[in-house]
Structure formats: C-alpha cells, structure tokens
C-alpha cells in the first residue's frame, strides 16, 4: 500500500524555528518531522511513499532522496500552489494513486500502532476512513483543530468551525480514489481544504471513522506543540518494566544524555558497547582490591547502568529499534555482569584469601543470570498484572554493587546478591506458575 504525505506548507506559526527550512524538516529529537512520519509508517509495513512538496521543496528532496537510506521508496510531486488549501496538494497526486492509500501530514507525530490498526479495517467499495480522537489530550489545540461529528462509526460532518462535534481529526486517513472526485467538486464550490472533500464523501455515506483511543498523536503547528511533543516523547521512554532505580534515578539522567546523543550520528549498538566497556573498566578496578579502586569501580558500575538505558532510548527516539539491537545489548549485559562479579571476587580474594568468596561469587553469578533469563516471561506478566509492584532487575543489582563499593563491603555485597537474586528467581517461578 502507498502512503501520500503532504509536505508543502511553510509552517509560519513556528516562527524562527522554521525560518530557513521547510516545516517538514524541523528537527525533533534527532529526526525531522517528515522522517518521523516515514519511519512510523515503515513500522506499519508501509514502504512506498509519494510526497507532495511546495515551500522549499528542493530541500526536502535533498534530505530524503529516493528513500533508500530509510529502506523505502520515495517519489515526489511538486505543488507550486502550496499557499492554497491542503486539498489542492492532495489532488496533485490523482494521477499516481489509483487504489486505496494512506494519507499523512508531514507535521503530525504519531504512534505507528495507529496505522497498523487502520490497515486492518474492512471497507466496502469506495469507503474511506479518518482517524479521530474522541477524548483529545489537553495539549491538543481545540480552537485550531478540525472538528468531526461521528454517528455509528460514520462521519456526519467535519470542519474547523462546526459546533456540533464529538471528536477531532488526527490527520491520518485511509482513502479510496473517490477522494479526488470529491476534492474536485469541493474546490469548484470554493472550499480548497481536505475537509471539504471529506465532507462530500461523508454526505454520500462513504466516510468511516477509527478512534485513536489511547495512542499518541500531536500536530506540530506551534512552538508550544513542538515543546509538548518533545516532552511527551521523552516521557514515553519510561518503560512499565523499569525497576525503581531505573525509573527514579537512572531515567532522569539517561534521558538528558539521550537528548544530546540523538543530535549526533551515533548508533544504539555503539552505545551498548560503550556501556559494556564502562562495566569492563569497573571490573578491572574491582580486581585491585584497594578501597580507592573499589570506590571508583562502584561508581563506574552505576554509570554503565545509566548509559545502558541510553541505547534503547536513542533507538526509540530515532525509531531505530531492531530485534538484533535488543539481543546485542542483552548479550553484552550478561558478559558485563559476569566480569563485574568476577572482578569483585578476585579483588577481595587477592587481599583476604579464602575459597568461600569464590563459591559465593558463583552463586551470585548464577542468580544474576537467572534473573535475566526469567525477565522476559516475568515482565510480560508484570505489565498485565497491575497488582505486581516488585521488579528486581539489573538496575537494582548494579545500584547495590555501587553502594557496597562505596562502603567497602564487597564480601557482604556478594552475599546479598547471591541471596536476593536467587530468591527473586524462585519468587518468579512461583508467580509464573500461578499465572
């Protein structure tokens, strides 16, 4: 299925933010707005795009090219009348779109799941769908939003000034080619907006609606909406499976780091390796056994924990998540955990001798590995069961190591890790058996 993206506008309401560039190229956390639209659509298995350009359109073409670097195909249509209504921009693509297609706005940021659900809708011949929001969040500018009246799943009326409405337009459509006939009629009648064409389809009973429900979307039209989108995207980096250390200590730091990292061309896998290297340094310092080295090692272990959150954050902010990336990070974390405990054991043993510390270290290592091994199954239950509030993970383990190092209590820290990690694994077995 093809997607048509309208990227012809100037974005004058954004002021100096879009002074020397077209609005679709405005950067938001490491990606331009139009790149966010393309990559979100790609996550919904859409890889063929037609982009209507207008104001400074050559800059958009230079940035996006053929789409090869994104793993998609991009073709362009130039709209020299970009100052007219957005319906004119849609109509420019009439000769290229002979089957149903997705229509997107280059300045709308949204959750890719919306498109996945939109593509599942069964339509009768000639029907189209508009995604609407029945309960818009407070950051949606209702005065400027396009209002929609829906009854029994079908749109009855649409427009910025209608008073009898029960939802707002999200700017995401699944359209049949009938939209072009409707737009021609609407423009002939003096209404050059896309809403004019949608209204004609609605009068013919051809315009269905899909509620966006709880999925995120926002129209980046002002400086305020830009700042709000940035804040929300960063807030969404907090995962429901985050432990208390990650949620309240690490994330406030790692998200600030990630906001800087997305501005440079650094890959998430490189950040994963950097976290591993910091942990390797921590293990190395632990192996010396002296307090000064131990204290530095403890701090480094927690720094690695913070950086370990940045790889996933950068991947999510730049829509670069991959199964391989998650697996690569997990493998490095397991090696890092093993080396860290080995460094702690060796460092303590080199000063105090005694074989018991090796046994305790081995038990701590097994417990650490089992915590990681059972995490996927446990987290799936953890997210669904809101009554479950205990989430003992790697963030807590590394935090305990840092505290133990600062107080120079490596032996007892290993005992705590050995006891708590294995007890947690047994607890998870019990909970998963019940579930």
């Amino acid at each position: 299925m093809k997607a048509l993206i309208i990227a012809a506008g100037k974005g004058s309401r954004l002021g100096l933010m879009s002074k020397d560039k077209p609005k679709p190229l405005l950067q938001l956390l490491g990606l331009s707005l139009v790149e966010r639209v393309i990559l979100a659509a790609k996550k919904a298995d859409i890889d063929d795009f037609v982009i209507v350009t207008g104001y400074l359109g050559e800059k958009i073409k230079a940035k996006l090219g053929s789409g090869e670097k994104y793993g998609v195909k991009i073709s362009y249509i130039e709209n020299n009348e970009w100052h007219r209504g957005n319906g004119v921009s849609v109509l420019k693509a009439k000769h290229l779109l002979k089957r149903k297609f997705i229509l997107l706005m280059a300045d709308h940021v949204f959750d890719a799941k919306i498109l996945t659900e939109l593509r599942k809708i069964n339509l009768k011949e000639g029907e189209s769908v508009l995604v609407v929001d029945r309960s818009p969040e407070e950051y949606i500018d209702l005065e400027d939003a396009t209002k929609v009246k829906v009854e029994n799943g079908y749109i009855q009326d649409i427009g910025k000034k209608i008073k009898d409405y029960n939802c707002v337009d999200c700017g995401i459509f699944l359209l049949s080619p009938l939209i072009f006939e409707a737009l021609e009629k609407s423009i002939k009648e003096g209404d050059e907006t896309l809403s004019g064409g949608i209204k004609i389809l609605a009068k013919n009973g051809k315009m269905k609606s899909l509620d966006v429900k709880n999925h995120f979307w926002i129209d980046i039209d002002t400086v305020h909406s830009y700042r709000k989108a940035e804040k929300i995207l960063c807030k969404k980096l907090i995962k429901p499976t985050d432990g208390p250390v990650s949620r309240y200590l690490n994330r406030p730091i790692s998200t600030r780091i990630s906001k800087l990292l997305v501005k440079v061309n650094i890959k998430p896998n490189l950040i994963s390796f950097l976290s591993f290297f910091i942990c390797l340094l921590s293990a190395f310092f632990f192996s010396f056994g002296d307090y000064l080295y131990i204290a530095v090692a403890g701090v480094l272990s927690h720094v690695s924990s913070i950086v370990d959150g940045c790889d996933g954050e950068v991947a999510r902010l730049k829509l670069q998540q991959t199964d391989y990336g998650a697996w690569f990070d997990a493998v490095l974390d397991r090696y890092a955990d093993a080396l860290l405990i080995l460094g702690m054991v060796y460092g303590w043993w080199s000063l105090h001798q005694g074989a018991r510390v090796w046994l305790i270290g081995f038990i701590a290592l097994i417990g650490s590995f089992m915590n990681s091994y059972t995490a996927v199954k446990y987290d799936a239950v953890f997210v669904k069961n809101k009554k479950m509030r205990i989430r003992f993970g790697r963030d807590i383990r590394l935090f305990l190591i840092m505290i133990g190092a600062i107080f120079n209590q490596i032996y007892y820290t290993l005992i705590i890790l050995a006891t708590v990690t294995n007890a947690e694994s047994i607890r998870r077995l019990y909970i998963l058996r019940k579930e």
Side-chain angles (χ1 to χ4, degrees), residues 11-255:
S12 56
R13 293 176 64 189
L14 284 162
L16 294 176
M17 294 183 73
S18 61
K19 181 181 66 172
D20 60 346
K21 65 182 71 173
K23 182 180 178 182
L25 293 187
L26 181 66
Q27 290 286 309
L28 175 63
L29 295 172
L31 290 174
S32 67
L33 296 181
V34 70
E35 285 177 307
R36 287 195 169 277
V37 172
I38 290 170
L39 293 174
K42 184 183 176 185
K43 289 182 69 175
D45 295 326
I46 298 170
D47 59 7
D48 193 351
F49 297 88
V50 177
I51 299 180
V52 181
T53 62
Y55 176 72
L56 298 179
E58 291 303 318
K59 289 190 174 183
I60 296 176
K61 294 179 183 178
K63 174 69 175 179
L64 303 179
S66 65
E68 183 178 359
K69 61 183 174 182
Y70 307 104
V72 301
K73 176 185 175 184
I74 300 176
S75 55
Y76 299 90
I77 300 173
E78 186 174 357
N79 177 14
N80 294 320
E81 303 173 289
W82 55 266
H83 54 279
R84 297 175 65 185
N86 58 358
V88 176
S89 290
V90 176
L91 192 55
K92 295 288 184 180
K94 178 181 178 179
H95 65 287
L96 286 180
L97 301 169
K98 304 300 182 182
R99 298 179 180 178
K100 66 179 181 178
F101 62 95
I102 298 290
L103 173 62
L104 303 168
M105 308 296 129
D107 56 358
H108 282 49
V109 178
F110 56 87
D111 190 328
K113 293 178 183 177
I114 297 173
L115 290 183
T116 300
E117 294 186 14
L118 182 61
R119 296 190 64 184
K120 293 178 181 178
I121 292 183
N122 292 319
L123 297 175
K124 296 177 183 177
E125 184 68 29
E127 285 188 333
S128 296
V129 187
L130 166 61
V131 177
V132 298
D133 193 343
R134 290 183 175 272
S135 304
E137 299 288 349
E138 52 86 19
Y139 53 79
I140 301 298
D141 184 358
L142 288 180
E143 289 188 10
D144 187 59
T146 300
K147 287 81 172 177
V148 184
K149 181 181 180 181
V150 174
E151 290 182 1
N152 299 320
Y154 282 85
I155 294 173
Q156 304 300 313
D157 199 4
I158 183 171
K160 287 186 178 291
K161 297 182 179 180
I162 66 172
K163 295 182 179 180
D164 183 18
Y165 69 94
N166 52 14
C167 48
V168 297
D169 172 4
C170 295
I172 303 171
F173 304 78
L174 174 58
L175 297 173
S176 98
L178 288 179
I179 184 61
F180 299 118
E181 295 178 18
L183 284 171
E184 288 173 337
K185 182 177 180 182
S186 176
I187 292 171
K188 192 173 183 180
E189 294 173 354
D191 187 349
E192 295 183 341
T193 66
L194 174 60
S195 297
I198 298 299
K199 185 178 292 188
I200 290 174
L201 290 181
K203 286 181 180 179
N204 294 326
K206 296 293 186 179
M207 203 69 219
K208 298 184 74 173
S209 67
L210 172 67
D211 188 3
V212 74
K213 297 179 181 176
N214 295 321
H215 297 313
F216 168 68
W217 74 280
I218 188 171
D219 177 5
I220 310 294
D221 207 33
T222 63
V223 175
H224 173 73
S225 60
Y226 175 90
R227 300 299 181 200
K228 195 64 183 181
E230 188 177 50
K231 184 176 180 180
I232 293 171
L233 288 173
C234 287
K235 187 176 180 180
K236 287 171 71 67
L237 294 175
I238 299 174
K239 298 187 292 186
T241 55
D242 276 350
V245 174
S246 285
R247 183 177 294 269
Y248 301 111
L249 181 59
N250 291 4
R251 290 292 183 195
I253 301 173
S254 64
T255 51

Side-chain angles (χ1 to χ4, degrees), residues 357-369:
V357 70
W358 290 97
L359 177 61
I360 294 171
F362 176 74
I363 297 172
L365 182 60
I366 292 296
S368 174
F369 275 23

Side-chain angles (χ1 to χ4, degrees), residues 182-337:
L183 284 171
E184 288 173 337
K185 182 177 180 182
S186 176
I187 292 171
K188 192 173 183 180
E189 294 173 354
D191 187 349
E192 295 183 341
T193 66
L194 174 60
S195 297
I198 298 299
K199 185 178 292 188
I200 290 174
L201 290 181
K203 286 181 180 179
N204 294 326
K206 296 293 186 179
M207 203 69 219
K208 298 184 74 173
S209 67
L210 172 67
D211 188 3
V212 74
K213 297 179 181 176
N214 295 321
H215 297 313
F216 168 68
W217 74 280
I218 188 171
D219 177 5
I220 310 294
D221 207 33
T222 63
V223 175
H224 173 73
S225 60
Y226 175 90
R227 300 299 181 200
K228 195 64 183 181
E230 188 177 50
K231 184 176 180 180
I232 293 171
L233 288 173
C234 287
K235 187 176 180 180
K236 287 171 71 67
L237 294 175
I238 299 174
K239 298 187 292 186
T241 55
D242 276 350
V245 174
S246 285
R247 183 177 294 269
Y248 301 111
L249 181 59
N250 291 4
R251 290 292 183 195
I253 301 173
S254 64
T255 51
R256 285 174 170 80
I257 297 173
S258 294
K259 284 178 70 175
L260 298 174
L261 292 176
V262 293
K263 296 179 181 180
V264 298
N265 190 24
I266 185 170
K267 299 297 184 183
N269 287 351
L270 182 57
I271 302 173
S272 297
F273 187 81
L274 177 61
S275 172
F276 169 75
F277 181 74
I278 295 172
C279 218
L280 190 63
L281 280 179
S282 175
F284 177 71
F285 282 118
F286 268 127
S287 68
F288 286 99
D290 294 331
Y291 175 68
L292 181 60
Y293 289 109
I294 288 174
V296 172
V299 173
L300 284 174
S301 70
H302 191 71
V303 169
S304 75
S305 178
I306 294 172
V307 175
D308 189 42
C310 292
D311 54 1
E313 290 170 0
V314 170
R316 294 196 292 280
L317 287 175
K318 299 188 76 170
L319 301 176
Q320 294 178 342
Q321 310 100 305
T322 64
D323 290 338
Y324 176 80
W327 178 80
F328 181 74
D329 179 51
V331 169
L332 289 183
D333 284 350
R334 302 297 77 76
Y335 276 114
D337 291 343

